[in-house]
Amino acid sequence: MNPANPADAPTRQALALDAAALRQKYAHERDARLKPQRNAQYIGTDAGFEALEDDPYIEQPLVREAVDETIDVLVVGGGFGGLVCAANLKKAGIDDFRILDKAGDFGGTWYWNRYPGAQCDTESYIYMPLLEETGYVPTEKYAHAPEIFAHAQRIARHFGLYERSLLQTQVAEMNWDEATRRWIISTDRGDVLRARYVFTASGPLNRPKLPNIPGIERFKGKLFHTSRWDYAYTGGNASGGLTGLADKRVAVIGTGATAVQCVPYVAQYAQHLYVIQRTPVNVGERGNAPTDPAWAKSLQAGWQRERMHNFNGWIEGVKAEKDLVADGWTRLFYGVRAGWIPTDGTPLTPEIAMPLAEQADFRIGSEWRERVAQTVKRPDVADGLKAWYGVLCKRPAFNDNYLPAFNRDNVSLVDTRGAGLDEIGEHGFTHAGVEYPVDCIVFATGFEVGTDYSRRSGFTVRGVGGKTLAQHFENGMRSLHGFYAHGFPNFFFLGVGQNGVKPNFTDMLTEQVEHLVDLINTTRKVGATRIEATASAEAAWLQTLVDKSQMARAYLAACTPSYFNDEGGDLNKSWIANNYGGGTLEFAQLLKAWRERGDHEGLNVQ
């Protein structure tokens, strides 16, 4: 389907799809994967696997004296969120800040995830931030990890951020001091920082998680997580060359976005590869291509922001004259959100809209399942790789090499149909009573999402009266606009959570940072040093989120379990259901109107 062509929009003829049969099939597949343990079906690296979280990329451990200083701003996190934050602070003339990260360099996700094949799944030209400011154009439409990591370093050098960083450093705790109106931060290196404001940009996907499979601790072979890829064992690098696997039987556990990227590389070099699947992922066409030098030279000032805005419009179902990005994301979202809207003037009542929207979702899912059938030559394997759930139930993947990898004789799909493995033993794994000996297990199982905030961040935050942020979030996140929490003055959240979530995370982070830096500057001009959400505003925002998310909640309730819907559990703790349901364009307008009023509604500013 070409989203630029209204003729491709589905008509009532699309209702020929058997909606009742598909609903039944989707529900059956979902129920097979519902686990009463919810997030307890996973364990963290602290369950005897601490070594899996070590930093394998530090060549020289940092040796320095403890820092004791008073600053305006502390930015926690050196990924793109922290980099964009620091860059905008400098642009706004706020120079007295520190950036703190446990990693050995900037990059965040792209520092840790160096597995073979890792690349952005949103177009490089809009995903890699601050391209115009740093004078860089990516070498391909979907850049690979080494180039993205290098760009993070480029941003840090361009804005002089290395001089302001505390790397290889972990926050131990933060405590609000009402007398000085500052956060007192201690670190694992004995540092004491007194910051007026704190931005937390540690990202939602930073703490590796593992499946809680019986016997996992008994395995005597090689075991690692994709975010700590062991090239000393596999050989090669992010581009391939994994010659160390030539005589190895390898199991990759997980079939999410990470596995989609690394499986083709492991398949190419391993003696045999077992891909362990509970739930298949929707895999669309990637269509990567090198950057056209002539196009790069033709770019005019403001091109990146224009391209981001164009992408956001298509994602929200607002069709511009031209789809500048024109990829799987814009085709998917436009098809689901607007491609089904009648063009014959038929009034769009809920009775008409709902079945048409559902049929559009069914049709796109059917097209993706047909892509599997056409690509994977063995019908039984192809059937196992077909996803039977709504196309927005999980973050889709786009890759041109994953499905063909299953045509190789040395690749086996172990489809557990939601059950997971029976156990892991000293020399392999068991599924359905059959033992599979392997030399290496690679966990492509993602990161903790639904666990306690302090656990995910790695430190405790104590606000007014000593209340911890984990206590504040005990029954789900509570905030105003997703940025501020009552009882935690001058503490700002960046990332996904009760705000407008964009598929292009870096654009979302930029929007958030610009809003919050503007807030700091406007309040500083009137001599204010304390910004806190009121309890009533926080409660009102929670109600707004509920009111705006009814359609999303209904959709997610019918979805197969994932971190999108709290593994099929409490939607109040869902990563997606509790964001602003009016869409990202509407959320951006809400923030803009809030700033223009100038009354700081919902905040207590002193």
Side-chain angles (χ1 to χ4, degrees):
M1 183 183 69
N2 178 3
N5 186 357
D8 284 334
T11 64
R12 293 213 175 109
Q13 191 173 4
L15 291 172
L17 281 170
D18 191 339
L22 283 170
R23 285 190 212 106
Q24 185 177 22
K25 175 68 171 176
Y26 284 14
H28 174 76
E29 294 294 327
R30 178 201 64 212
D31 292 347
R33 290 163 175 81
L34 285 172
K35 305 292 182 185
Q37 305 95 326
R38 304 296 189 237
N39 283 301
Q41 63 191 294
Y42 304 103
I43 57 175
T45 54
D46 55 350
F49 299 93
E50 288 81 2
L52 294 186
E53 204 169 351
D54 290 346
D55 189 337
Y57 310 119
I58 293 176
E59 297 179 2
Q60 184 65 41
L62 179 66
V63 177
R64 64 170 175 80
E65 296 294 324
V67 173
D68 186 320
E69 63 184 11
T70 300
I71 55 177
D72 279 346
V73 182
L74 175 67
V75 180
V76 180
F80 280 140
L83 289 166
V84 168
C85 182
N88 277 273
L89 287 170
K90 290 204 72 172
K91 290 180 186 179
I94 302 173
D95 295 315
D96 186 17
F97 62 84
R98 283 280 194 181
I99 307 173
L100 189 152
D101 198 294
K102 66 180 180 180
D105 204 338
F106 289 98
T109 290
W110 303 104
Y111 175 87
W112 296 111
N113 288 278
R114 306 189 193 190
Y115 58 84
Q119 66 181 142
C120 57
D121 65 357
T122 305
E123 186 194 65
S124 307
Y125 314 128
I126 61 172
Y127 174 76
M128 294 168 67
L130 301 165
L131 289 176
E132 290 191 68
E133 289 87 340
T134 56
Y136 186 71
V137 177
T139 63
E140 53 184 341
K141 189 173 176 70
Y142 301 96
H144 283 76
E147 182 176 3
I148 305 175
F149 178 33
H151 184 59
Q153 295 170 310
R154 179 180 299 108
I155 293 171
R157 290 192 301 270
H158 180 84
F159 289 97
L161 303 183
Y162 280 102
E163 295 80 2
R164 301 172 185 273
S165 67
L166 294 174
L167 300 174
Q168 297 185 39
T169 303
Q170 171 72 47
V171 173
E173 63 178 11
M174 296 187 185
N175 294 283
W176 173 253
D177 180 45
E178 192 66 62
T180 61
R181 294 188 173 185
R182 289 184 180 273
W183 285 97
I184 312 302
I185 301 100
S186 61
T187 78
D188 61 353
R189 290 183 172 272
D191 307 311
V192 177
L193 306 173
R194 293 166 291 277
R196 179 74 69 199
Y197 307 100
V198 171
F199 285 82
T200 176
S202 54
L205 306 177
N206 65 80
R207 187 183 177 100
K209 71 180 181 185
L210 309 174
N212 193 5
I213 301 171
I216 186 174
E217 74 285 350
R218 295 193 289 123
F219 184 64
K220 291 185 176 181
K222 189 65 182 178
L223 184 151
F224 58 86
H225 191 276
T226 49
S227 65
R228 305 293 191 276
W229 195 273
D230 192 339
Y231 285 108
Y233 179 83
T234 66
N237 54 40
S239 298
L242 311 180
T243 55
L245 299 179
D247 61 346
K248 302 296 191 300
R249 297 158 298 182
V250 181
V252 172
I253 298 181
T255 51
T258 297
V260 165
Q261 293 183 338
C262 75
V263 157
Y265 288 80
V266 178
Q268 184 179 351
Y269 292 96
Q271 179 190 98
H272 199 91
L273 169 62
Y274 297 99
V275 180
I276 316 301
Q277 172 182 276
R278 289 198 314 170
T279 304
V281 62
N282 275 311
V283 183
E285 182 181 356
R286 174 76 296 168
N288 197 15
T291 298
D292 179 0
W295 172 80
K297 290 181 180 178
S298 72
L299 296 173
Q300 303 295 314
W303 70 268
Q304 188 179 31
R305 187 58 65 94
E306 176 189 5
R307 199 173 183 91
M308 289 176 175
H309 288 334
N310 180 271
F311 179 79
N312 293 336
W314 281 95
I315 288 293
E316 292 292 329
V318 180
K319 186 176 65 175
E321 181 178 348
K322 183 178 181 180
D323 181 358
L324 297 178
V325 174
D327 68 353
W329 284 108
T330 54
R331 286 190 291 272
L332 169 63
F333 274 83
Y334 186 82
V336 170
R337 292 181 172 175
W340 48 267
I341 296 176
T343 58
D344 60 1
T346 301
L348 198 60
T349 63
E351 292 76 17
I352 293 175
M354 291 178 68
L356 287 176
E358 181 185 52
Q359 286 290 324
D361 193 298
F362 285 157
R363 189 194 69 256
I364 294 170
S366 296
E367 290 172 357
W368 284 21
R369 288 188 289 273
E370 181 61 24
R371 182 173 186 258
V372 175
Q374 295 297 322
T375 305
V376 180
K377 297 176 182 178
R378 288 175 286 180
D380 59 329
V381 177
D383 286 345
L385 291 168
K386 294 175 182 177
W388 296 95
Y389 48 79
V391 294
L392 300 183
C393 282
K394 288 174 171 280
R395 186 175 175 94
F398 299 94
N399 191 283
D400 298 329
N401 302 312
Y402 177 71
L403 295 176
F406 291 93
N407 292 326
R408 299 179 62 99
D409 292 335
N410 69 321
V411 176
S412 299
L413 175 68
V414 181
D415 182 15
T416 71
R417 298 187 58 79
L421 297 179
D422 299 346
E423 64 175 340
I424 292 177
E426 293 183 1
H427 304 293
F429 65 89
T430 301
H431 169 60
V434 179
E435 295 183 11
Y436 297 80
V438 293
D439 304 291
C440 172
I441 296 177
V442 179
F443 292 110
T445 45
F447 304 86
E448 295 187 19
V449 174
T451 54
D452 174 86
Y453 177 86
S454 296
R455 176 180 173 82
R456 297 198 311 275
S457 63
F459 56 88
T460 299
V461 179
R462 294 185 181 86
V464 175
K467 182 181 181 181
T468 68
L469 198 52
Q471 290 172 326
H472 189 68
F473 290 165
E474 184 176 4
N475 296 313
M477 187 176 182
R478 297 179 59 85
S479 75
L480 171 61
H481 298 161
F483 306 141
Y484 338 88
H486 176 64
F488 299 86
N490 297 359
F491 193 94
F492 308 128
F493 305 99
L494 298 179
V496 178
Q498 301 194 337
N499 45 36
V501 179
K502 298 178 178 179
N504 184 10
F505 273 23
T506 55
D507 181 26
M508 174 190 72
L509 290 165
T510 299
E511 177 181 86
Q512 295 173 0
V513 163
E514 290 176 348
H515 176 76
L516 293 170
V517 171
D518 178 79
L519 171 65
I520 289 176
N521 265 339
T522 57
T523 54
R524 278 159 58 111
K525 287 177 181 177
V526 297
T529 56
R530 192 181 189 281
I531 303 169
E532 180 186 5
T534 66
S536 58
E538 193 178 68
W541 183 244
L542 289 176
Q543 187 59 51
T544 296
L545 295 175
V546 170
D547 294 343
K548 286 282 187 177
S549 68
Q550 291 306 305
M551 290 184 64
R553 284 169 176 258
Y555 187 90
L556 288 168
C559 282
T560 193
S562 75
Y563 64 81
F564 272 27
N565 62 3
D566 191 46
E567 300 297 337
D570 184 359
L571 287 180
N572 288 321
K573 297 181 180 180
S574 162
W575 198 47
I576 296 298
N578 290 289
N579 288 299
Y580 187 75
T584 60
L585 299 181
E586 185 175 299
F587 183 72
Q589 286 301 313
L590 182 152
L591 293 184
K592 182 175 182 290
W594 187 93
R595 289 192 300 271
E596 290 176 347
R597 286 198 304 272
D599 57 4
H600 300 134
E601 181 184 1
L603 297 179
N604 184 2
V605 177
Q606 300 176 4

